[in-house]
Amino acid sequence: MIAENIEKLNKRIENASKKAGRDPSEIKLLAVTKTHLLPIIEEAITHGIEYIGENRIQEAEQKIPFLKDKIREFHFIGHLQSNKINKLMKLEPALIHSIDKQSTARKLNEYLGELQKKQDVLIQVNTSAETSKFGIDPQETLSFVREIAKLENLQIMGLMTIGMFTSDETIIRKCFQTLHRLFEEIKQENIPGVKMKFLSMGMTDDFEIAIEEGANIIRIGSAIFGARNY
Ligand SMILES: *Cc1c(COP(=O)(O)O)cnc(C)c1O
C-alpha cells in the first residue's frame, strides 16, 4: 500500500510540476510521519522516501534515532517550545521549519552557541490569518527576519506556511502567493546572513496548488501513510 501511495504521489508531483513548467526534481518531498510507527516509516524509506518531518519532539525522540542512518534529513516542522530546545538539538534536525517567536529563537541561538553549532531554519508565516495558527503576520515578516538574522547561530534559509483549511482553492492559492511574494521581497533586501532558498508549503490536500505557486519543499503525510489515527 505504501509503495503504491508513493508511486501515485510522485505521479501527482510530476503532473503538477509539468503544469507549472517546473522540474519535479527541484521539489523536495518531506514525508510527515507523525502518529505513524517505525515499521511503516521504514517501509516508506525502502520505497524512496529520504526526508522525514515530525512536529512533536517527544514523538520524534522515539523514532528519529532509529531512522537517522537510513534517511538523508530529519526536519522539525512543529511548534518549538523553548524548554524542548535541548531535546530537539540532540536529534540534529537539518532544518527547523517553524521559527515564529523572538524569545524562542534567542534561546535556540544561545544553546547553539554553547554547542558551537549553526542551525538552518525557516520562518513560519501565518498567511491565512487564522488565529489558531502559529506564524508571523505577513506584514511583520520582513522586520522579524531582520531581527532573527542578527542571531549569529541561526541561518535563515526561507519561509514556511500552512495554507488555509478550506475547500476554496482561490483562498488557498492566495496564502501560497502571499508566501512567495514575501520570499521574493526578502530576497531583494539582501539581508546579511539570510538566504531565501526554501519555500515550504503544501500538504496532502493542497500541494498541487503549492507547486504551481513555487513551493520547493512539500510536507506530505496522509497521501503516503493514509489517514492519521490519533
Ligand atoms: C501534519 C502536517 C503536515 C502533513 O499533513 P497531511 O495533510 O497529512 O499531508 C504538513 N505540515 C505540517 C506542519 C503538519 O503538522
Side-chain angles (χ1 to χ4, degrees), residues 6-35:
I6 293 172
E7 197 180 317
K8 274 190 204 148
L9 176 61
N10 283 331
K11 278 261 155 61
R12 283 173 66 187
I13 293 170
E14 215 172 282
N15 287 339
S17 302
K18 220 176 262 172
K19 192 173 161 196
R22 299 183 59 196
D23 179 351
S25 70
E26 73 189 42
I27 295 156
K28 197 176 265 197
L29 170 59
L30 186 69
V32 178
T33 51
K34 64 181 182 227
T35 77

Side-chain angles (χ1 to χ4, degrees), residues 32 34 55 77 160 162 203-205 219-222 228:
V32 178
K34 64 181 182 227
N55 72 334
I77 62 173
M160 176 273 222
I162 299 173
M203 304 170 32
T204 291
D205 290 333
R219 310 177 308 267
I220 308 290
S222 322
R228 279 180 293 276

Side-chain angles (χ1 to χ4, degrees), residues 55-226:
N55 72 334
R56 292 220 164 82
I57 290 166
Q58 247 163 331
E59 205 185 321
E61 281 180 314
Q62 311 284 320
K63 298 185 234 173
I64 299 306
F66 302 98
L67 299 171
K68 258 276 143 93
D69 55 0
K70 299 177 181 156
I71 58 176
R72 266 187 211 266
E73 292 176 2
F74 158 59
H75 293 196
F76 183 69
I77 62 173
H79 183 62
L80 181 56
Q81 291 169 286
S82 57
N83 60 351
K84 295 201 176 128
I85 286 171
N86 56 343
K87 289 186 172 170
L88 177 59
M89 285 304 108
K90 283 204 186 86
L91 303 175
E92 301 185 311
L95 189 63
I96 299 175
H97 286 228
S98 40
I99 297 296
D100 69 349
K101 208 171 160 202
Q102 283 227 28
S103 58
T104 311
R106 282 222 182 81
K107 284 203 180 124
L108 176 59
N109 184 61
E110 257 173 52
Y111 192 68
L112 286 161
E114 288 171 28
L115 299 176
Q116 297 191 302
K117 276 187 171 176
K118 309 272 180 210
Q119 177 67 55
D120 285 353
V121 302
L122 306 180
I123 304 302
Q124 182 170 353
V125 183
N126 184 352
T127 53
S128 63
E130 286 168 288
T131 51
S132 59
K133 283 202 184 124
F134 293 110
I136 302 294
D137 190 291
Q139 266 114 359
E140 286 155 20
T141 302
L142 177 57
S143 62
F144 184 79
V145 166
R146 286 192 198 282
E147 286 308 308
I148 301 302
K150 293 176 191 160
L151 303 173
E152 67 281 11
N153 303 316
L154 297 188
Q155 172 69 60
I156 299 177
M157 296 297 289
L159 305 177
M160 176 273 222
T161 200
I162 299 173
M164 179 99 117
F165 290 121
T166 169
S167 54
D168 187 336
E169 271 199 22
T170 317
I171 295 176
I172 299 169
R173 192 176 295 279
K174 277 211 179 105
C175 292
F176 296 154
Q177 286 171 340
T178 298
L179 197 72
H180 197 169
R181 181 175 45 76
L182 283 170
F183 181 89
E184 295 299 337
E185 279 172 17
I186 294 166
K187 199 189 274 182
Q188 294 287 313
E189 296 287 323
N190 281 318
I191 304 164
V194 173
K195 289 183 194 151
M196 282 292 121
K197 181 173 177 200
F198 295 120
L199 201 47
S200 167
M201 55 189 197
M203 304 170 32
T204 291
D205 290 333
D206 58 17
F207 73 83
E208 278 126 329
I209 305 172
I211 288 174
E212 285 171 34
E213 298 304 333
N216 57 17
I217 301 181
I218 56 172
R219 310 177 308 267
I220 308 290
S222 322
I224 298 171
F225 300 105

